[in-house]
Amino acid sequence: MSAQTLFEKLWRAHEVIAETEDTPAVLYIDLHLIHEVTSPQAFTVLRERGIGVRRTERTFATMDHSTPTDAAQLFGKVPIRMESAAEQIHELERNCAAFGVELLGLRHAQRGIVHIIGPELGLTQPGKTIVCGDSHTSTHGAFGALAFGIGTTEVGHVLASQCLLQRKPRTLAVNVTGTLAPGVTAKDLVLAIIHTLGVGGGTGSVIEYRGPTIRALSMDERMTVCNMSIEAGARAGLIAPDETTYAYLKGRPRAPEGAAFERAVEAWRRLPSDAGAVFDREISIDAASIVPMITYGTNPGMSVPVTGTVPVRAGDGVHAKALAYMGLAAGQALLGQPIEYVFLGSCTNGRLSDLREAAGLLKGRKVAAGVKFLVVPGSQQIKREAEDEGLDAIFTAAGADWRESGCSMCLGMNGDLVSKGAYCVSTSNRNFEGRQGIGARTLLASPITATASAIAGRIADPRDLLH
């Protein structure tokens, strides 16, 4: 057999029926993660057709998108203020109970953002196919799993059959060499990759992130990179498993134990792309040339160095429309632009290491007057661990708002909103029009760039605070 890429190994291992010119392949799904937003319609279809969930033990539910991060609402001291959010939460509770699906309920100690609790619990493992009704399912690819988002109709298909119809994607290798400089993070790296590829550069492809720079990343950092693969148009993102992966998974509640874990690792070691495996396309990135990045427009590809200026693109209507929405001008410097909000959290940057980095920069400093700094851990476990380390005390002493876990201000559907016309430096993954609220202006950046900006009250370079 010829040399195979990691993607080809995963695809072949799960291909039930090969695709033809007329029909997609039938792909078996190892793990189906569900949440309250994209599952209600799927469960309704099952009820209407008298179908149960095919493999309940391979289906796992949590609540995240619509859950309030305000403790009073979360723990029942006051009602959930958004009626639509409350209804989605209650509907998931009813559906999981009726169909026998395991659910981390609203007040469960392990509840959190779906793409954080999967790895945290050890559900996410190398070699698996993983789907969820959420675009950023690509996060799990950091473990060498083929993971991608699906639509509501497809959620129903997987619930009913544990399989999915899929056309086979192409392969794209992103080879990264060089050392990231101080103040430059995995978020800056992936924003730079998206800037290079463009928001459609990965369309129809699965990206494999490769090279010594990727190998040097922690699992948290790898998840940040894979999380944003969809923002380059890719179907999924992959990083081959290695010793860092195995060490992260060992001892996790849902990971194999003892001899079973050793057998699993033996199998996982065969997953990385073979020497000589050919990709459909390859690009190279020099990590040493990357500086802290920030977006200025209305898609994640519209980014520049934090010390840069808004590009001039004469005759580009899309660019002009984005600048009009953002209230920015071509040629304008971003450094020093006043801001009103900072959001630290999301499935991109809501992990313990992100909170540690931000707290390290914030310690002994204050959030600028007039800035609302919302800090939202990615899971209840991360929240407890951060509190055990005293990180919450650092944030609150500085004037930040320490919250319960959830998707929060990443998207405007749970009550955590940015005001119309206000600027928010956000560690999330999307800066679309209205993403954080009607008229909200989102600037994507790393946790330390966001924190430096919270301190300054304007867009700031984190490197100025690292000396």
Side-chain angles (χ1 to χ4, degrees):
M1 185 179 291
S2 59
Q4 298 179 74
T5 64
L6 167 59
F7 165 73
E8 288 166 337
K9 294 178 184 182
L10 296 171
W11 183 272
R12 291 186 182 186
H14 293 85
E15 191 178 52
V16 180
I17 300 175
E19 71 176 306
T20 68
E21 187 175 329
D22 300 319
T23 60
V26 176
L27 205 65
Y28 186 78
I29 303 303
D30 293 312
L31 176 63
H32 187 192
L33 299 168
I34 63 174
H35 57 80
E36 73 277 18
V37 176
T38 53
S39 64
Q41 304 93 324
F43 280 115
T44 296
V45 171
L46 294 189
R47 279 195 182 88
E48 290 173 348
R49 301 187 62 176
I51 300 171
V53 174
R54 175 75 174 176
R55 298 293 298 272
T56 54
E57 78 280 10
R58 293 181 180 268
T59 310
F60 194 84
T62 190
M63 301 171 172
D64 54 8
H65 285 61
S66 300
T67 57
T69 62
D70 171 63
Q73 293 182 66
L74 184 68
F75 294 109
K77 292 182 180 179
V78 298
I80 295 174
R81 295 191 183 99
M82 291 189 69
E83 186 176 335
S84 59
E87 178 53 33
Q88 286 179 327
I89 290 167
H90 298 325
E91 183 68 11
L92 183 62
E93 291 172 337
R94 291 190 290 266
N95 285 329
C96 288
F99 286 87
V101 173
E102 184 176 0
L103 168 67
L104 299 184
L106 191 60
R107 300 180 185 93
H108 196 286
Q110 293 178 319
R111 185 191 60 79
I113 302 174
V114 64
H115 307 312
I116 287 185
I117 60 99
E120 192 172 74
L121 295 175
L123 288 164
T124 302
Q125 296 168 22
K128 283 188 173 184
T129 47
I130 302 173
V131 296
C132 176
D134 185 272
S135 300
H136 298 99
T137 308
S138 54
T139 306
H140 308 265
F143 291 79
L146 179 56
F148 51 91
I150 57 177
T152 297
T153 300
E154 293 173 309
V155 170
H157 292 170
V158 179
L159 288 173
S161 70
Q162 205 59 35
C163 291
L164 194 62
L165 298 174
Q166 284 287 295
R167 287 288 182 183
K168 187 177 182 180
R170 298 182 296 275
T171 53
L172 168 58
V174 174
N175 301 301
V176 189
T177 57
T179 302
L180 293 171
V184 182
T185 71
K187 181 64 162 289
D188 301 304
L189 171 60
V190 72
L191 284 173
I193 290 171
I194 296 166
H195 179 85
T196 301
L197 285 171
V199 291
T203 301
S205 299
V206 169
I207 298 174
E208 183 179 337
Y209 301 97
R210 298 160 53 82
T213 309
I214 300 298
R215 283 278 164 268
L217 298 178
S218 68
M219 287 310 303
D220 284 3
E221 292 169 323
R222 295 179 189 188
M223 284 186 267
T224 293
V225 171
C226 285
N227 173 273
M228 293 192 69
S229 301
I230 185 66
E231 309 310 337
R235 193 72 182 99
L238 288 169
I239 295 175
D242 59 12
E243 297 304 322
T244 300
T245 319
Y246 315 145
Y248 178 97
L249 286 172
K250 191 170 185 178
R252 299 276 168 179
R254 306 297 178 103
E257 297 179 339
F261 183 80
E262 298 307 319
R263 288 193 298 271
V265 169
E266 185 179 349
W268 296 340
R269 292 188 192 281
R270 296 192 288 270
L271 289 174
S273 295
D274 299 329
V278 177
F279 294 83
D280 293 309
R281 181 186 172 200
E282 297 196 37
I283 69 164
S284 296
I285 300 287
D286 176 16
S289 68
I290 297 171
V291 298
M293 301 288 288
I294 193 164
T295 63
Y296 63 86
T298 53
N299 71 55
M302 294 181 175
S303 64
V304 292
V306 72
T307 52
T309 58
V310 176
V312 177
R313 294 182 182 171
D316 187 334
V318 173
H319 192 253
K321 181 176 182 289
L323 294 191
Y325 178 83
M326 293 296 293
L328 299 173
Q332 175 183 340
L334 289 176
L335 207 61
Q337 167 66 39
I339 60 169
E340 290 79 29
Y341 293 83
V342 171
F343 170 54
L344 173 57
S346 83
C347 60
T348 313
N349 283 125
R351 296 177 181 84
L352 185 61
S353 58
D354 300 312
L355 302 181
R356 284 171 176 159
E357 284 188 352
L361 203 62
L362 192 59
K363 189 174 184 179
R365 298 184 169 104
K366 293 287 185 181
V367 174
V371 173
K372 181 175 183 178
F373 187 6
L374 202 64
V375 183
V376 185
S379 72
Q380 293 301 98
Q381 178 176 320
I382 290 171
K383 181 175 185 286
R384 289 191 300 274
E385 290 172 344
E387 289 171 348
D388 287 344
E389 294 184 15
L391 303 186
D392 62 318
I394 294 173
F395 287 117
T396 55
D401 191 354
W402 178 252
R403 294 293 190 98
E404 302 295 326
S405 68
C407 291
S408 185
M409 206 176 269
C410 176
L411 74 173
M413 63 185 304
N414 48 55
D416 294 344
L417 299 169
V418 174
S419 302
K420 185 176 182 179
Y423 290 95
C424 178
V425 179
S426 178
T427 66
S428 51
N429 42 51
R430 286 188 165 162
N431 53 340
F432 303 157
E433 291 187 20
R435 172 78 175 182
Q436 293 187 302
I438 297 171
R441 293 164 166 170
T442 305
L443 305 145
L444 301 177
S446 74
I448 56 173
T449 297
T451 303
S453 300
I455 295 165
R458 60 189 184 276
I459 295 175
D461 188 337
R463 295 172 296 183
D464 294 339
L465 299 180
L466 293 177
H467 303 306

